[in-house]
Amino acid sequence: MADVKSTVSAAAAGTIRIGERVVNRLGFGAMRLCGPGVWGPPADPENALAVLRRAVALGVNFIDTANAYGPNVNEEQIAEALYPYPSDLVIATKGGSTRSGPGQWGRDCRPSELKKACEGSLRRLRLDCIELYQLHAVDPKLPYAEQIGALKELQDEGKIRNVGVSNVEEDELEIARSVATIASVQNRYNAMHRDSERVLEECERTGVVFIPWFPLEAGDIPQARVLSEIAREKNASPHQIAIEWLLQRSPIMLPIPGTSNLEHLEENIAAASIRLSEEDCNKIATSRET
């Protein structure tokens, strides 16, 4: 473990702007607070609420969720744990994914369904306006511009403040930006998997926030030997090194590591106080394991 536990705070990661809101650049992904397969409630509902409250106490003021997590369970947990919300808290949610069972994921991004999904999220989160609403996936059954257009209409109606996209390639991001102002992109990206490198570079060029999902590769990050080696040198964990590498990789990066374990939560947030050398960052970036 790192020797920074006594000063754990997400504020150590610095800040980033999403629209008109400024948040600490280390957030929390709430998905893991659901049951197995991201389906239904967890075995210990009170622990899930405690994790959310502790995250906020540790300086997290950006929480990522989706209507598909549970489904609905995750948004309800956030409201139960944190409402009325702190004035600086930004809750980002998503619509466009459907669920038929544990580990089962589908897509339905028809404008009518996206609007229903948004209305449901507003009710569950007890909000009048969602600060960041993201299209969860690209639906191949209809033009992408139509899908983004539905979110633009919700924005014009005052139901969402900022539009985000997820799981996109460069051409899809270009289409989205032709329809609406895109505040964020959420793609899979971590020290082991960097297929979205070019999307990240485009976000850097245009000032779009990049939110890497699976920042810890669902907990499998320690399999990367280079992370373990650097972790030993820093008296830290491989998870912490993976998080800090993301923070140092780009100033537009907003990692959202998730956990249902209070100890792991504190460990993850403590990563914001670790600093890697340029040599460390280059070792990770050029590792053949990634």
Side-chain angles (χ1 to χ4, degrees):
M1 294 295 166
D3 294 331
V4 294
K5 193 169 182 178
S6 62
T7 57
V8 171
S9 174
T15 60
I16 195 166
R17 182 177 294 276
I18 301 176
E20 297 302 314
R21 299 290 294 274
V22 175
V23 298
N24 291 328
R25 206 162 60 91
L26 184 53
F28 179 74
M31 181 182 75
R32 289 182 173 275
L33 299 179
C34 298
V38 198
W39 186 262
D44 187 349
E46 289 303 315
N47 174 73
L49 304 182
V51 168
L52 286 163
R53 292 171 182 141
R54 184 59 179 154
V56 171
L58 292 173
V60 168
N61 54 13
F62 180 86
I63 295 177
D64 179 81
T65 183
N67 70 330
Y69 299 162
N72 304 336
V73 170
N74 209 211
E75 293 177 331
E76 292 168 350
Q77 290 171 320
I78 290 169
E80 183 177 353
L82 301 174
Y83 187 86
Y85 302 117
S87 60
D88 65 340
L89 180 64
V90 170
I91 299 171
T93 191
K94 313 177 197 74
S97 288
T98 61
R99 305 298 306 282
S100 57
Q104 302 298 309
W105 300 83
R107 301 176 187 178
D108 189 347
C109 297
R110 289 175 294 172
S112 60
E113 292 304 307
L114 289 172
K115 292 176 181 180
K116 288 179 186 177
C118 181
E119 293 285 357
S121 292
L122 285 165
R123 287 194 302 273
R124 286 184 292 275
L125 291 168
R126 307 179 199 175
L127 292 170
D128 296 321
C129 178
I130 294 168
E131 198 67 34
L132 177 63
Y133 194 79
Q134 305 157 93
L135 188 62
H136 206 161
V138 178
D139 189 338
K141 298 187 296 294
L142 68 159
Y144 194 52
E146 289 185 17
Q147 302 168 51
I148 300 298
L151 270 58
K152 179 65 167 63
E153 290 180 16
L154 288 166
Q155 185 181 46
D156 292 341
E157 293 169 6
K159 294 178 179 177
I160 65 177
R161 192 97 57 204
N162 296 287
V163 175
V165 294
S166 185
N167 300 306
V168 293
E169 302 292 344
E170 292 168 272
D171 57 338
E172 292 155 346
L173 177 56
E174 183 178 357
I175 291 170
R177 295 182 69 237
S178 72
V179 177
T181 298
I182 302 302
S184 67
V185 168
Q186 186 169 161
N187 276 15
R188 182 185 187 186
Y189 188 92
N190 58 55
M192 293 173 67
H193 293 280
R194 301 196 291 274
D195 293 342
S196 288
E197 196 74 54
R198 292 181 66 177
V199 175
L200 171 59
E201 290 170 358
E202 179 62 16
C203 288
E204 289 177 322
R205 188 185 70 80
T206 56
V208 173
V209 175
F210 189 93
I211 305 170
W213 61 264
F214 267 19
L216 298 177
E217 194 53 28
D220 290 336
I221 277 293
Q223 293 180 12
R225 187 175 63 254
V226 65
L227 295 175
S228 296
E229 291 172 353
I230 295 172
R232 284 193 294 271
E233 295 170 2
K234 299 287 185 183
N235 191 28
S237 73
H239 295 91
Q240 290 176 316
I241 300 304
I243 292 168
E244 181 56 28
W245 179 78
L246 286 170
L247 289 168
Q248 293 186 215
R249 167 62 185 83
S250 174
I252 64 163
M253 196 82 77
L254 174 52
I256 50 168
T259 181
S260 60
N261 182 291
L262 283 164
E263 183 177 350
H264 291 167
L265 171 68
E266 190 147 342
E267 177 184 328
N268 290 345
I269 302 301
S273 297
I274 297 170
R275 291 296 176 265
L276 303 178
S277 67
E278 184 176 350
E279 181 182 2
D280 291 332
C281 291
N282 288 339
K283 281 182 182 178
I284 296 169
T286 58
S287 171
R288 292 181 181 179
E289 298 171 308
T290 59

